[in-house]
Amino acid sequence: MIAAALVAASITFAAALLCGRQARRAAAWRAGLLSECAARLDAARLGRDRAGFATLDGGHDGAPVAVRLIPEALVHRRLPQLWLSVSLRLPQPVEATLDVLRRPAGAEFYAPADLPRRFDPPSGWPADTLVRGTPGAEALLRPIAPVLADILADPRIKEVLVTPRGLRLVVQAAEGGRGAYLLLRGSRFDLDHVAPALLDGTLGAARQLAHALSRTRSEPIAHARAA
């Protein structure tokens, strides 16, 4: 009995060491996902959120930028997703809020849930696009629809949010492995680091949209006030 107890204790100890090693590896992976993107921002500051995922703050062409990672696993019949959220904190010449969401599944906790109006997607947009906003958003949507269409042509785009305080784009950074999900309902992403090119492209799209908004400065505000 003593021998059996010693064997059991040894197995438990080895399992605890293995679990601890795996936990440390997972924590280091989450914390390092944005390390290669830091050089893309001015005065870059790397950090961690409450779940241990990397955060990145800095500047781009004089505007504050916040980069976050959003893991999403609780969607029926879809593999887990890791989203890259890029917020350009640059005040916009609008009074309305407009949210464009691709392939809505009802689990987009990061998207605003209190937008009262829903609009039909413009002609030529993907049919699985949900467009919502506050009063005045329809007038905001019309002049920037062509630029939004270009952005939505990238299948990795999940959300485009326009508010008076700035813009946010959410794009796919990685998709979970099928095997881990089917067997364990776990999220394992085949990703060492978020590619700097993905951040560059997302920032470029946000700047393109901000430029389009600046060209329509008077029209959206006038319609928003009249709504």
Side-chain angles (χ1 to χ4, degrees):
M1 293 181 62
I2 295 177
L6 289 174
V7 170
S10 298
I11 293 174
T12 301
F13 181 71
L17 285 178
L18 178 60
C19 290
R21 187 178 300 116
Q22 290 177 338
R24 288 191 293 273
R25 287 177 180 173
W29 172 78
R30 290 192 296 267
L33 281 170
L34 296 176
S35 59
E36 294 188 0
C37 293
R40 294 303 201 264
L41 300 182
D42 300 326
R45 303 180 305 280
L46 285 165
R48 300 185 190 186
D49 63 17
R50 292 183 178 180
F53 279 92
T55 64
L56 177 61
D57 294 276
H60 184 263
D61 287 346
V65 173
V67 183
R68 300 292 184 265
L69 290 162
I70 305 171
E72 179 189 285
L74 302 177
V75 179
H76 181 57
R77 300 181 67 180
R78 191 178 76 187
L79 292 176
Q81 303 291 319
L82 183 64
W83 304 110
L84 181 74
S85 170
V86 180
S87 297
L88 187 65
R89 293 171 177 167
L90 182 65
Q92 298 301 307
V94 301
E95 293 181 357
T97 292
L98 176 69
D99 187 57
V100 179
L101 188 66
R102 289 293 317 279
R103 301 172 297 277
E108 293 84 8
F109 57 88
Y110 45 84
D114 56 349
L115 300 178
R117 297 191 179 181
R118 181 169 176 172
F119 311 107
D120 293 331
S123 177
W125 281 27
D128 58 354
T129 304
L130 176 64
V131 185
R132 299 174 302 160
T134 57
E138 187 173 18
L140 169 62
L141 173 62
R142 283 196 297 268
I144 63 173
V147 175
L148 285 171
D150 289 342
I151 294 174
L152 296 176
D154 184 342
R156 296 172 299 180
I157 291 289
K158 178 63 176 176
E159 182 197 34
V160 181
L161 176 66
V162 179
T163 77
R165 297 183 301 277
L167 311 173
R168 182 181 71 200
L169 271 66
V170 177
V171 303
Q172 184 191 57
E175 185 172 75
R178 182 174 297 275
Y181 181 69
L182 293 178
L183 292 176
L184 304 173
R185 287 299 185 263
S187 301
R188 293 183 182 177
F189 300 104
D190 186 16
L191 179 74
D192 292 329
H193 300 91
V194 173
L198 180 60
L199 177 58
D200 290 343
T202 307
L203 281 171
R207 281 292 184 181
Q208 180 186 10
L209 181 56
H211 182 63
L213 287 164
S214 69
R215 296 199 310 266
T216 59
R217 179 180 300 271
S218 59
E219 181 179 354
I221 292 178
H223 279 272
R225 288 175 176 167

